Amino acid sequence: MVNIVDRRQWFDWHSWAGFKLSILMTFVLVTGTLATISIDIDWATNSAIRAQHGQPDRLDWGGIYDAASAAFPGNQFFWISAPQEAWFNAELVGADNEGRMFRAYVDPVTFEVTGTGRWYNWQRFFRQTHRHLMLPTSIGIVIVGLLSIPLFVSLISSFYIYKRWWRGFFRWPRKGAANAPTKAVRRARTYWGAMHRLAGVWSLWFVFLIAVTGAWYLVEVSGGNAAYPSVPSVEEPAVEPLEGIRLNELLAEAERLYPTLEVKQITLRGWDEGKVLFQGQADAVLVRRRANHVVLNPADAAVVDIRRGEELSVHARISEAADPLHFGTFGGVITRWIWFVFGIFMSALSITGVFLYGLRITRGSVNATAAPSVAWRLSWSELGGGFRWGTLSLVVLALALTAVIFTANPAVVG
């Protein structure tokens, strides 16, 4: 049994970890939460992405490529991605004659080019602001990765300050009857404290997962990244521009060489020194599509490289598992939305923790109407100038850099 002095110390650490960095922490948590469903936000905001005819039994990659090439003559496409879900169109990423990158969408059934999208779409916005605050990755990932430390402190300390926490899964908070104005703060603390604990116990596993994967990203950027076998280079093949029929022939050869590979993306030779890469999912679990690939020389279909996820080193497998676990992409739409819900819980924990801190230091007679504003004002004051303006500046800088990048990369209309 932990004595009262130790418990108070844990409470102080818990409060400090969740409070002093709360502005930056909340921003990173909210952008990460939205990043889990960012492809759905793109789907909802861009009609070109929405499939109108479902999906074919087998994707005709060559037909999709030919349709986009015909709609954008002279433009170069770098890769093609299979539809994310049954209600998505296929996506191609390319550059126009002025070098501006853009996305084109093709109906996989009718081969109709349904429209275009920005290179910097919602997915890139939420992923990049969450991952490195739009700063250079060597700086931004370190800053964001260091937030895993207060996450661990908050997680570990919660077991000490919440007695018999395992009983709290179904303990729904009650507001209680209206009391005298002088008890408004106490009543608010009781209610929101119970809400904070309820969200906390349900999110314990998720906080641990996010803290561990966040710490792993910090390890990687600090020099602990996994080494992958290098892909041999090939000379730029002296062939005519790639056509759909040739792309399908190369795909057939890739499937012959790697029968269990379910191709999700094809990287075209204009992007990777003349090679054509077929990437996707196969036998390995919890890996990104890059873990499995077949690389061919488009001139003669000669095999350049084959990579199988299950043959990667333990270090590489851990690295490959980080993204699927951090963003919940391993199970498709179901796990992505589960991660979104628990991301809301984590964001709420950060916000309610600040509110509770303000309520805890509120003194005097405060009525129920004034209590929230007083609590927020005191919290803002107690943050201190360094933490307040330092973390707020990082958030503002990330949004300002986003505006600059977005303005510098206008939409390309075919």
Side-chain angles (χ1 to χ4, degrees):
M1 179 65 69
V2 179
N3 62 49
I4 189 66
V5 175
D6 291 333
R7 188 162 175 262
R8 284 177 178 169
Q9 185 64 66
W10 281 113
F11 183 83
D12 289 340
W13 289 341
H14 186 88
S15 299
W16 192 96
F19 179 67
K20 288 296 185 180
L21 299 171
S22 56
I23 294 176
L24 182 60
M25 180 72 78
T26 300
F27 181 75
V28 170
L29 290 175
V30 170
T31 52
T33 297
L34 293 171
T36 62
I37 60 163
S38 55
I39 63 170
D40 304 288
I41 297 174
D42 280 318
W43 181 91
T45 55
N46 187 350
S47 60
I49 304 176
R50 303 171 206 158
Q52 302 297 319
H53 304 93
Q55 301 296 322
D57 294 334
R58 177 178 172 80
L59 205 61
D60 184 348
W61 293 86
I64 292 169
Y65 177 71
D66 282 343
S69 298
F72 302 93
N75 293 356
Q76 186 176 28
F77 288 102
F78 301 129
W79 65 82
I80 313 170
S81 297
Q84 297 275 4
E85 303 289 350
W87 47 93
F88 280 68
N89 285 323
E91 179 186 80
L92 298 92
V93 173
D96 67 1
N97 295 326
E98 298 179 11
R100 298 176 301 178
M101 293 186 69
F102 70 101
R103 302 170 191 270
Y105 298 95
V106 178
D107 188 308
V109 175
T110 66
F111 303 117
E112 173 193 0
V113 176
T114 57
T116 61
R118 287 179 178 269
W119 166 241
Y120 280 96
N121 56 4
W122 285 112
Q123 182 186 31
R124 287 192 67 81
F125 165 66
F126 287 122
R127 285 294 183 98
Q128 290 185 208
T129 52
H130 173 71
R131 183 171 180 255
H132 53 85
L133 303 172
M134 289 293 183
L135 298 171
T137 54
S138 59
I139 299 173
I141 295 178
V142 170
I143 294 173
V144 174
L146 286 171
L147 292 178
S148 62
I149 297 175
L151 277 182
F152 276 121
V153 172
S154 296
L155 176 66
I156 296 170
S157 59
S158 64
F159 292 108
Y160 288 92
I161 63 179
Y162 188 10
K163 292 183 177 180
R164 298 181 179 85
W165 57 269
W166 56 89
R167 297 182 180 180
F169 284 98
F170 301 101
R171 187 173 293 168
W172 190 258
R174 297 179 180 179
K175 284 189 174 181
N179 292 316
T182 54
K183 297 183 179 179
V185 172
R186 184 187 304 172
R187 192 167 67 252
R189 283 182 60 184
T190 300
Y191 176 74
W192 287 108
M195 287 292 288
H196 189 80
R197 291 188 293 273
L198 180 65
V201 293
W202 280 99
S203 303
L204 285 172
W205 68 274
F206 193 70
V207 175
F208 175 77
L209 178 65
I210 298 304
V212 168
T213 50
W216 179 254
Y217 293 137
L218 180 61
V219 169
E220 287 186 319
V221 78
S222 302
N225 52 307
Y228 292 83
S230 60
V231 178
S233 60
V234 299
E235 295 183 2
E236 183 72 23
V239 296
E240 295 297 320
L242 194 65
E243 295 182 349
I245 188 171
R246 180 58 175 165
L247 187 60
N248 282 340
E249 291 172 353
L250 295 171
L251 173 63
E253 177 63 10
E255 292 176 332
R256 184 189 70 80
L257 293 166
Y258 197 163
T260 59
L261 178 65
E262 182 183 357
V263 175
K264 295 294 185 180
Q265 180 174 300
I266 300 177
T267 302
L268 304 171
R269 63 189 178 91
W271 181 261
D272 195 39
E273 301 176 348
K275 297 171 285 191
V276 177
L277 291 78
F278 299 88
Q279 300 176 315
Q281 295 296 333
D283 301 312
V285 297
L286 285 179
V287 295
R288 290 169 284 194
R289 61 182 58 168
R290 72 177 190 180
N292 309 287
H293 74 209
V294 175
V295 185
L296 300 177
N297 185 328
D300 54 8
V303 61
V304 177
D305 188 55
I306 297 177
R307 177 187 294 169
R308 293 178 170 84
E310 65 273 17
E311 296 176 356
L312 294 174
S313 67
V314 173
H315 191 177
R317 285 297 296 272
I318 294 173
S319 180
E320 286 299 319
D323 264 14
L325 288 172
H326 194 78
F327 293 102
T329 56
F330 61 91
V333 64
I334 294 176
T335 51
R336 284 192 294 103
W337 279 86
I338 290 174
W339 261 236
F340 172 70
V341 170
F342 279 93
I344 293 176
F345 285 178
M346 273 194 73
S347 302
L349 285 172
S350 183
I351 295 169
T352 56
V354 174
F355 184 52
L356 285 167
Y357 189 95
L359 289 173
R360 186 161 65 90
I361 60 177
T362 299
R363 296 290 185 268
S365 177
V366 180
N367 61 42
T369 302
S373 61
V374 171
W376 287 118
R377 187 167 63 251
L378 288 173
S379 292
W380 175 257
S381 176
E382 285 292 316
L383 271 176
F387 286 102
R388 182 197 310 155
W389 299 117
T391 54
L392 187 60
S393 296
L394 285 172
V395 172
V396 172
L397 180 59
L399 295 176
L401 290 173
T402 299
V404 171
I405 293 172
F406 191 78
T407 303
N409 293 268
V412 176
V413 180

